[in-house]
Amino acid sequence: MIRHSRNASESWKTLPWKKFRANLFRLQMRVFKAVQVGDKRKARSLQKLILKSKAARFLAIRQVTQLNAGKKTAGIDGKLALTHEERFNLELLLKQPNWYHNKLRQIPIPKKDGSIRYLKVPTIADRAWQAIAKYALEPAHEATFHEHSYGFRPGRSAHDAQYQVYASLNSKANGITKTILELDIEKCFDRISHTTIMSNLIAPRALKEGIFRALKAGINPEFPEQGTPQGGVVSPLLANIALNGIEDLHQYHRVKGCKITSNTSEKDIRKACVRYADDMVFFLRPEDDAKELLDKISRFLAERGLKVSEKKTKLTASTDGFNFLGWKFYIQQNGKFRCVPSEDNFKAFRKKVKKIVNCSNYGAKVKAQKLTPIVRGWRQYHRFCKMDGSRFKLWHMEYRAFKVFNKETKQNTKTAIKLAKQAFPTVPYSENAHIKVQGNKSPFDGDLIYWSQRNSKLYDGRTSKQLKRQNHTCGYCGHKLTSEERVHLHHKDGNHGNWKDNNLKVVHESCHDYIHMSKK
């Protein structure tokens, strides 16, 4: 039944979201466990149920219109957002068994080297279909993915990859003797073979056909059999499916000098790769043959329509350091492992801060409000680095902001100091203290105790403390706070300077939006 606009907003908010989540998650767990035990036939039957699920349709629409970072980016049809009434209409449209994708909107994005890459954005309706497809595909492939693959996977993050680099290069791992192969794949998303993706998909025929049509909607005329469009909801998952297994190309026995044979147990093998989507590094010991490894990698990639970028792929001594995921990793001469923000990452952050501080369009108070999430986000991302010294403590930036604020508040020094402190919130940091995800664990394994406890550890002190107080439930809707949606710390009185415990509550990002919409 199509709702009229007067009642659509309230109807949308009161949908049984908790029940929808529970129903979808139950099916996803069953898909995961079926693939784990090798029963792909059962997995495909369960995936069909997800594709027909009302819960999956509504959750997908909610995901692409309210939660995803690109929710306000229009596709080729120009639709920037959907009203609540249009969301209900889209749910009816998504029931059709054969989904045909529209063409993609191309958005040029300049790269550091001066070249251009294109973000190819589907329409909102196509994104919703892809979200449903992802609900069905992800649990099946989570059961097959490598434990040292961390990018674009539920329950995993860049901090897990950061810690694995530490585990591979610290003094116990004799990191000072190692060489790092920094691997760059040339135009990975643009060149992945469609044949590779399709042959590796664990999916029923109807879903495979839908994915094939999605791939063909974003093709490059020069390479009609290659590429998964960046900007698609399901694209990172498809890239992970195509690259899965590259981590096993370099591994060695934990005991030096021993060879790996068919009888070598898994616990005796040390994996020597960390992958985050198409970014990866391999760790080589003095006796390892880098040329042999590169040949293996080249053959693996060639089978998938890809090749190594000779210009960007390089061998680096651990003492010289290397950049990965916005960090610089290096080993000191005394064998001590270090990780700091990379130069490019720091410059980009400083540029953002400088642009806001020097802007003449708004005053000190607005500047402080704009700076707060940027500075806090940067500090949180680097909270497991070595952040000593005035450079990474941001002393010079904060002092510069204070001087500008002092001038704009007409030399009201007390107010300027307060605004500068608000603009540069402190975040506690602890070098290499992140607790990495355990082995091959996945949110679809059903271990809710492990995942709810881990979720609270991923946030800083205040948020983590509030999560425990609220028993990991949202303070607005009462649903469980899981890793699938970001959480926000809401100030009940609207005063972002009031950090008293009784003024705070943790809510879903979407619930936070509802709270502020209702106050308008």
Side-chain angles (χ1 to χ4, degrees):
M1 179 181 175
I2 300 175
R3 272 76 168 175
H4 294 292
S5 55
R6 182 183 295 178
N7 301 319
S9 175
E10 198 56 40
S11 297
W12 182 262
K13 291 179 188 178
T14 55
L15 282 170
W17 296 111
K18 187 174 182 178
K19 185 180 176 183
F20 286 165
R21 277 181 178 160
N23 290 345
L24 175 61
F25 186 63
R26 194 179 302 114
L27 285 171
Q28 288 179 312
M29 278 197 301
R30 292 175 66 193
V31 170
F32 177 85
K33 288 175 181 176
V35 175
Q36 256 193 335
V37 298
D39 193 348
K40 291 185 180 179
R41 183 181 223 175
K42 183 179 179 182
R44 286 190 285 267
S45 295
L46 291 164
Q47 286 174 314
K48 289 178 184 177
L49 294 180
I50 291 175
L51 296 174
K52 294 175 183 176
S53 164
K54 178 181 178 181
R57 291 195 298 274
F58 275 114
L59 287 169
I61 294 166
R62 184 172 182 257
Q63 186 71 40
V64 301
T65 61
Q66 293 181 276
L67 307 182
N68 285 356
K71 61 191 175 188
K72 293 180 181 176
T73 305
I76 200 167
D77 60 356
K79 274 197 174 293
L80 198 61
L82 298 185
T83 63
H84 292 294
E85 187 176 358
E86 287 172 326
R87 288 174 189 161
F88 281 111
N89 292 343
L90 177 56
E91 189 271 330
L92 296 175
L93 189 63
L94 288 168
K95 285 182 177 181
Q96 60 182 275
N98 298 314
W99 188 267
Y100 289 87
H101 274 67
N102 291 284
K103 290 183 179 178
L104 308 180
R105 176 188 169 207
Q106 290 196 144
I107 302 175
I109 298 176
K111 295 174 75 173
K112 284 189 296 185
D113 61 4
S115 62
I116 300 288
R117 74 177 177 92
Y118 288 93
L119 190 68
K120 297 181 179 181
V121 184
T123 63
I124 291 176
D126 287 337
R127 274 177 259 171
W129 183 88
Q130 287 190 26
I132 297 171
K134 187 181 175 188
Y135 290 153
L137 289 171
E138 193 165 55
H141 288 279
E142 273 295 304
T144 69
F145 284 158
H146 197 280
E147 65 174 299
H148 290 168
S149 165
Y150 301 101
F152 304 106
R153 291 183 59 190
R156 289 166 181 255
S157 68
H159 289 129
D160 292 312
Q162 180 191 32
Y163 187 87
Q164 187 56 38
V165 173
Y166 163 71
S168 301
L169 291 178
N170 63 29
S171 56
K172 288 181 181 177
N174 208 15
I176 196 168
T177 66
K178 292 182 180 176
T179 304
I180 291 84
L181 173 62
E182 301 176 62
L183 183 68
D184 187 87
I185 302 173
E186 195 172 295
K187 297 182 178 179
C188 181
F189 278 80
D190 294 332
R191 296 289 183 270
I192 293 176
S193 162
H194 291 172
T195 304
T196 297
I197 292 172
M198 299 310 299
S199 62
N200 285 286
L201 273 187
I202 302 169
R205 190 177 69 178
L207 179 51
K208 279 192 171 187
E209 289 173 351
I211 291 294
F212 188 71
R213 286 192 285 265
L215 291 171
K216 292 303 179 185
I219 60 169
N220 181 335
E222 295 177 36
F223 303 95
E225 303 300 323
Q226 293 176 273
T228 177
Q230 294 185 58
V233 174
V234 79
S235 293
L237 173 60
L238 298 180
N240 271 337
I241 291 169
L243 292 173
N244 189 39
I246 197 170
E247 303 88 350
D248 287 322
L249 296 180
H250 182 50
Q251 53 192 21
Y252 50 83
H253 201 287
R254 289 178 185 272
V255 180
K256 191 174 179 180
C258 295
K259 290 185 178 180
I260 295 173
T261 69
S262 58
N263 296 321
T264 306
S265 67
E266 186 67 25
K267 68 178 182 180
D268 291 328
I269 297 174
R270 184 183 293 280
K271 310 297 183 188
C273 172
V274 175
R275 181 166 76 86
Y276 192 93
D278 61 330
D279 290 327
M280 64 198 86
V281 288
F282 292 84
F283 307 105
L284 285 72
R285 301 167 303 169
E287 63 268 32
D288 292 329
D289 188 331
K291 186 178 182 304
E292 182 185 345
L293 174 59
L294 265 173
D295 286 343
K296 283 183 187 177
I297 291 169
S298 295
R299 288 195 296 272
F300 178 93
L301 294 177
E303 291 170 4
R304 289 153 178 78
L306 302 169
K307 64 179 181 178
V308 172
S309 170
E310 293 182 11
K311 192 196 320 186
K312 296 180 182 177
T313 296
K314 53 188 175 182
L315 282 168
T316 311
S318 59
T319 49
D320 291 337
F322 63 98
N323 294 332
F324 183 54
L325 302 178
W327 294 299
K328 180 175 182 180
F329 301 93
Y330 62 97
I331 307 297
Q332 296 178 168
Q333 291 301 324
N334 63 1
K336 183 83 173 175
F337 174 91
R338 289 286 181 238
C339 174
V340 296
S342 71
E343 189 64 31
D344 286 345
N345 180 278
F346 184 75
K347 280 181 180 177
F349 167 69
R350 186 174 59 188
K351 187 177 179 181
K352 282 183 188 176
V353 171
K354 193 174 179 180
K355 185 178 179 181
I356 293 171
V357 170
N358 294 338
C359 183
S360 58
N361 293 339
Y362 33 77
K365 188 175 180 181
V366 175
K367 287 179 181 180
Q369 289 173 345
K370 287 182 175 291
L371 283 170
T372 301
I374 293 171
V375 174
R376 181 182 286 117
W378 186 83
R379 281 179 158 160
Q380 284 180 335
Y381 188 74
H382 298 296
R383 67 188 182 274
F384 302 116
C385 294
K386 184 175 174 59
M387 299 293 280
D388 300 340
S390 60
R391 178 181 175 85
F392 295 136
K393 284 184 179 292
L394 311 181
W395 187 89
H396 297 289
M397 287 190 201
E398 187 171 348
Y399 182 64
R400 163 68 182 159
F402 158 71
K403 288 205 295 185
V404 172
F405 294 169
N406 199 34
K407 184 178 178 182
E408 290 177 345
T409 56
K410 299 178 181 178
Q411 307 302 318
N412 187 333
T413 305
K414 190 175 179 180
T415 300
I417 290 172
K418 184 179 177 182
L419 289 173
K421 285 189 178 298
Q422 180 188 328
F424 288 80
T426 57
V427 172
Y429 63 92
S430 184
E431 204 176 351
N432 307 319
H434 176 69
I435 299 172
K436 188 175 76 74
V437 63
Q438 287 179 13
N440 268 323
K441 285 198 73 64
S442 166
F444 301 118
D445 62 17
D447 190 348
L448 294 177
I449 294 173
Y450 171 82
W451 289 105
S452 61
Q453 289 176 346
R454 176 173 169 76
N455 196 39
S456 68
K457 290 173 184 173
L458 297 180
Y459 295 95
D460 63 21
R462 276 199 181 97
T463 307
S464 179
K465 195 187 293 183
Q466 199 63 32
L467 275 165
K468 288 174 185 174
R469 277 202 194 97
Q470 294 175 203
N471 194 26
H472 306 285
T473 57
C474 175
Y476 180 76
C477 70
H479 300 166
K480 278 288 182 185
L481 292 156
T482 62
S483 60
E484 68 181 20
E485 183 177 345
R486 286 179 293 181
V487 305
H488 284 194
L489 201 56
H490 173 63
H491 295 75
K492 295 176 187 177
D493 64 358
N495 177 11
H496 284 213
N498 180 1
W499 291 93
K500 291 180 180 177
D501 289 342
N502 61 4
N503 187 48
L504 303 173
K505 67 178 174 182
V506 179
V507 295
H508 289 108
E509 180 186 23
S510 55
C511 291
H512 206 190
D513 290 342
Y514 279 139
I515 291 169
H516 288 287
M517 281 165 55
S518 63
K519 290 180 179 179
K520 289 180 180 179

